[in-house]
Amino acid sequence: MYELNSKIRDLTPYKPLAGEYKIRLDANESFLPLPEDLKKAAADAVLSVPLNRYPDPTASALCRAFAARYDVPFENVAAGNGSDELISVIMQSFLMKGDAYAVVLPDFSMYNFYGYVSECRAVEIEKDGFWKIDVDKVIETCNNENVKLLIFSNPCNPTGQGLCREEVRRLIKGVRALVVLDEAYMDFWDETMLPEFAAYDNLLILKTCSKAFGLAALRVGFAVGDEKLVRAIKAVKSPYNVNSLSQAFAKCVLEDGDACDRAFSEIRASKAALETGLRALAEKYPAIEIRDSVTNFAVVKSEKAEAIFRYLLENSIAVRYFKNMSALRITAGTAEENEAVLAAIEKFFKT
Ligand code: PMP
């Protein structure tokens, strides 16, 4: 009988929260539909895609649109099937079997997953009690442990915390490792390293269209860095990794700067409103504590987090519960969705 090897024997397929819920605030997606005229223009572009032909392997028009939007040279951009694929490609290619990579926990769980599949050694560095990164500790550990790749999200999913640019610079300069800086949520904050990526030959910045751009369904992400690094990603990735429909659709959206900017500020406003509502609840119910977040989600710390999570599910509201942080991560939604989650949490404490 065929036996799976020990590396994959106990793995289980990725399973998002199962079940039907009226309100889904569990995956940090955008709550905004695209403006009708933009949706129509993108749909027209998709209709003219020749389906009998393979996609452009370099996703050139898409990468040009991204490069123009973020004012980076086109040569320094690679596209992926979501930034998730890029994380996988980067960990497979910049690490050799047995090499050490570092994560700073709590952080996005896929880093450790891909590190494991790449048969590499995880060096896990803990954040402090407020989920802040201790830059000196990270530098010292990376250099002592001969870490070849350091990966972290900034702003961080799931903590919502941000590390300011000055500290990020210090980190990149302080380690010998390749630094993979995942800026999936940076469109909601203002400390991006993109304008100065060229100053570092050990830096890769990841971006995604899944959050602020509201295109999670398309699976489009980008890596930006030194040409040598980006060329290596392009050499390792599968040739036709981003399908033609996604390339054409995402290009149209990225080119509509005004629509994107409007969406970004609406999402920021929704997150601010959600946090204000949660803070008002925290005043009344000291069992919850609201941690500042610079992303599109709010973070609620509580010993009762699991019970609140279950109560919300019973009320058809899905959020994410993180046992390791005793916290809930609640994605900003429409005004009605935010009101509903706030009302349900209030009800939890009243009953
Ligand atoms: N990085 C971070 C920090 C994320 O939270 C996510 C999505 N949850 C991703 C990367 C992956 O995004 P995508 O593959 O949709 O681009």
Side-chain angles (χ1 to χ4, degrees):
M1 197 176 55
Y2 181 76
E3 295 269 357
L4 293 174
N5 68 40
S6 60
K7 178 168 81 176
I8 58 172
R9 193 176 301 143
D10 299 325
L11 295 182
T12 50
Y14 182 75
K15 205 166 68 209
L17 192 63
E20 288 286 314
Y21 301 96
K22 282 205 195 93
I23 296 178
R24 298 222 46 156
L25 302 174
D26 60 322
N28 298 342
E29 296 145 328
S30 166
F31 61 89
L32 290 169
L34 288 178
E36 276 310 314
D37 54 339
L38 175 55
K39 198 157 46 175
K40 167 107 188 28
D44 287 347
V46 161
L47 284 177
S48 57
V49 166
L51 294 178
N52 56 322
R53 302 292 176 197
Y54 282 108
D56 170 6
T58 61
S60 147
L62 173 66
C63 287
R64 278 187 201 284
F66 175 88
R69 159 94 205 167
Y70 288 100
D71 200 17
V72 292
F74 158 75
E75 295 73 29
N76 297 89
V77 181
N81 193 247
S83 50
D84 210 57
E85 185 208 18
L86 291 167
I87 298 166
S88 165
V89 167
I90 288 166
M91 299 199 73
Q92 279 173 51
S93 37
F94 291 88
L95 291 168
M96 303 274 278
K97 181 177 171 181
D99 276 353
Y101 68 92
V103 286
V104 197
L105 299 179
D107 205 345
F108 187 44
S109 60
M110 296 309 284
Y111 305 149
N112 258 342
F113 174 76
Y114 289 124
Y116 168 79
V117 175
S118 304
E119 299 184 60
C120 294
R121 179 168 70 89
V123 173
E124 299 185 338
I125 305 162
E126 294 295 324
K127 291 175 184 171
D128 73 11
F130 294 94
W131 303 320
K132 292 274 179 218
I133 294 180
D134 179 340
V135 170
D136 293 313
K137 181 166 136 189
V138 174
I139 293 174
E140 198 188 317
T141 311
C142 284
N143 292 339
N144 286 347
E145 297 271 349
N146 195 19
V147 162
K148 295 288 195 301
L149 184 151
L150 162 68
I151 184 164
F152 66 101
S153 58
N154 190 41
C156 171
N157 171 27
T159 67
Q161 299 292 307
L163 189 67
C164 67
R165 213 182 270 122
E166 200 41 53
E167 290 284 87
V168 176
R169 283 188 196 115
R170 208 153 69 72
L171 234 180
I172 302 166
K173 287 185 193 151
V175 297
R176 292 188 296 273
L178 173 70
V179 177
V180 182
L181 176 61
D182 184 348
E183 292 196 350
Y185 297 87
M186 192 54 90
D187 297 303
F188 307 115
W189 202 37
D190 302 310
E191 295 287 316
T192 179
M193 289 294 285
L194 274 178
E196 56 186 279
F197 83 88
Y200 310 94
D201 67 357
N202 64 330
L203 173 66
L204 274 171
I205 301 178
L206 298 180
K207 296 284 298 176
T208 180
C209 286
S210 301
K211 309 296 171 190
F213 292 97
L215 301 176
L218 297 186
R219 313 304 301 122
V220 172
F222 299 93
V224 179
D226 187 271
E227 240 180 293
K228 184 167 75 175
L229 306 178
V230 167
R231 205 173 325 115
I233 293 174
K234 289 180 179 168
V236 175
K237 75 176 184 66
S238 77
Y240 305 117
N241 58 330
V242 185
N243 76 72
S244 304
L245 309 183
S246 292
Q247 289 191 30
F249 200 111
K251 170 181 175 284
C252 279
V253 174
L254 283 166
E255 281 173 348
D256 193 337
D258 289 345
C260 294
D261 291 340
R262 274 197 308 275
F264 292 9
S265 56
E266 266 191 66
I267 298 169
R268 284 185 192 212
S270 161
K271 196 280 283 175
L274 176 63
E275 268 184 352
T276 304
L278 286 167
R279 284 220 178 79
L281 285 179
E283 298 256 308
K284 282 205 246 172
Y285 308 106
I288 58 173
E289 179 197 339
I290 314 309
R291 293 281 174 96
D292 284 336
S293 156
V294 291
T295 63
N296 66 334
F297 55 84
V299 179
V300 179
K301 188 155 169 58
S302 175
E303 287 311 313
K304 295 196 157 67
E306 185 172 8
I308 300 171
F309 168 70
R310 302 221 170 276
Y311 182 81
L312 291 176
L313 283 186
E314 283 162 23
N315 286 275
S316 208
I317 301 174
V319 302
R320 265 297 288 274
Y321 164 56
F322 288 88
K323 193 179 169 121
N324 56 334
M325 305 198 303
S326 300
L328 299 173
R329 189 193 70 192
I330 308 176
T331 308
T334 63
E336 296 73 33
E337 288 171 335
N338 291 348
E339 285 305 321
V341 76
L342 292 168
I345 294 174
E346 171 119 59
K347 219 163 136 209
F348 168 86
F349 282 107
K350 278 188 169 160
T351 48

